[in-house]
Every structure is written in C-alpha cells, then in structure tokens.
Amino acid sequence: MRILLTIFILLSINPVWPIGRNPVIGDPFIIVNKAKNELAFIKGGKVQEVMKAGTGKSNDLTPEGLFTVTVKAKNPYYRKKNIPGGDPRNPLGTRWIGFDARGTNGRIYGVHGTNQPWTVGKYISQGCIRLLNPKVEKLYDQVPIGTKILVVNTKKDFVTLGKEYGAIKR
C-alpha cells in the first residue's frame, strides 16, 4: 500500500503527468481560440508565436477545455481514407500533435498540418486544428508529450488566458 501511495505522489508532482500542476510558468503551453481561429504557443512565460488555425465547421466539432498532448507523429497515416503518411493526398499534412479531448487517446483530435493551406484560418474541419505545414513542424519540435493545450471560444487575448492558466506570470 505504501508503494502505491509513493508512486501516486511521485507521478502527481511530475510536471509531465496530467494530474500534476500544469502548466507552470516556463513550460510550453498551447492555446487555441476558436473565436479568432488562432493558435498561440507560450513558452518561457511569454507568447512566442500566434498563428492562424482552422477549426471545426460548427462550434461543437472542435472540443473546448484543457487537454494534454498524448501522441505525436511525423507524416501521420490517415486512417479514414487509408492514405499513408508523406503522401501528397494526405489531409493531415506533415505532423500530428494529438490530445485527449472527450476521453479519447490523442488519435482522434489533434493539431496537424494540411495539404490544403487555403483552409487554415477558416471554420472547416471535422474537429481538429489545422496549421500550415511549416508552422506545425516548428510547433511539433517544441511541444513534448504532456504539454497542456487549452481550446476556448472567447474574446480574451492570449496573454490574459496565459495568466489565468498559470503559463504567464501575473
């Protein structure tokens, strides 16, 4: 029993563990604002970059809440239409950053690239968040498994949201 309690305590204070204190100032943090179709990447207590993002065709398709990045893939396979990663027909682009929305395991909802760059910045997807391939590639390299991602629909700016969620110092 003591061993289980010790393991639980150690895991819960680990900054990568989803139960622990996340995000903390300095850690990477992603915020997606569906109201503006923008994604902000926060690291080191500052907004590093804001980029256009495509979100769900209807408001309910892209889930809102605080989630955890659980899966990452280079040249992801598109299961729905059996399109291999790296194929120019693959709508997921060059990178997949999956998160655990709606009780899923990171393979249903994600931030990904696209083979249709004109769709970025629009309400167009079936629930995922689309970025231009060069943008998602850069983000992919900076976001480890365990990173928190906040998806909202608000008029608040990214600095305010970062402060409210502990990623930026108040």
Side-chain angles (χ1 to χ4, degrees):
M1 184 65 177
R2 288 185 70 175
I3 293 172
L4 289 175
L5 181 59
T6 302
I7 290 171
F8 176 75
I9 290 170
L10 289 174
L11 290 176
S12 66
I13 61 174
N14 180 342
V16 174
W17 184 255
I19 297 173
R21 227 181 59 182
N22 282 306
V24 295
I25 294 173
D27 286 350
F29 185 49
I30 299 169
I31 303 174
V32 177
N33 188 347
K34 298 185 329 183
K36 297 178 181 181
N37 268 349
E38 291 181 335
L39 179 148
F41 176 63
I42 298 172
K43 187 174 182 182
K46 296 179 183 175
V47 175
Q48 300 295 321
E49 186 170 3
V50 175
M51 55 197 91
K52 286 290 182 194
T55 59
K57 286 181 185 180
S58 62
N59 189 48
D60 62 314
L61 286 173
T62 303
E64 295 176 26
L66 183 64
F67 309 111
T68 303
V69 172
T70 57
V71 174
K72 291 174 56 178
K74 289 184 178 180
N75 294 317
Y77 173 76
Y78 186 54
R79 291 182 291 175
K80 189 174 182 180
K81 294 193 177 177
N82 195 27
I83 302 174
D87 188 309
R89 298 171 300 137
N90 189 320
L92 300 179
T94 59
R95 300 291 183 273
W96 174 268
I97 303 168
F99 53 93
D100 61 351
R102 296 183 177 155
T104 62
N105 63 4
R107 299 187 188 280
I108 306 297
Y109 296 100
V111 177
H112 63 79
T114 182
N115 64 348
Q116 301 169 359
W118 58 89
T119 65
V120 174
K122 298 184 177 170
Y123 299 103
I124 194 119
S125 78
Q126 293 300 310
C128 286
I129 298 148
R130 294 182 188 181
L131 301 178
L132 295 173
N133 284 325
K135 296 291 186 181
V136 77
E137 289 169 9
K138 184 177 175 185
L139 185 65
Y140 181 95
D141 290 338
Q142 299 180 78
V143 174
I145 300 288
T147 297
K148 292 297 184 181
I149 176 168
L150 175 68
V151 181
V152 294
N153 190 340
T154 184
K155 293 182 180 180
K156 293 180 183 178
D157 63 70
F158 288 121
V159 171
T160 299
L161 291 165
K163 287 178 180 178
E164 288 178 0
Y165 281 84
I168 297 175
K169 190 174 182 178
R170 290 187 174 263

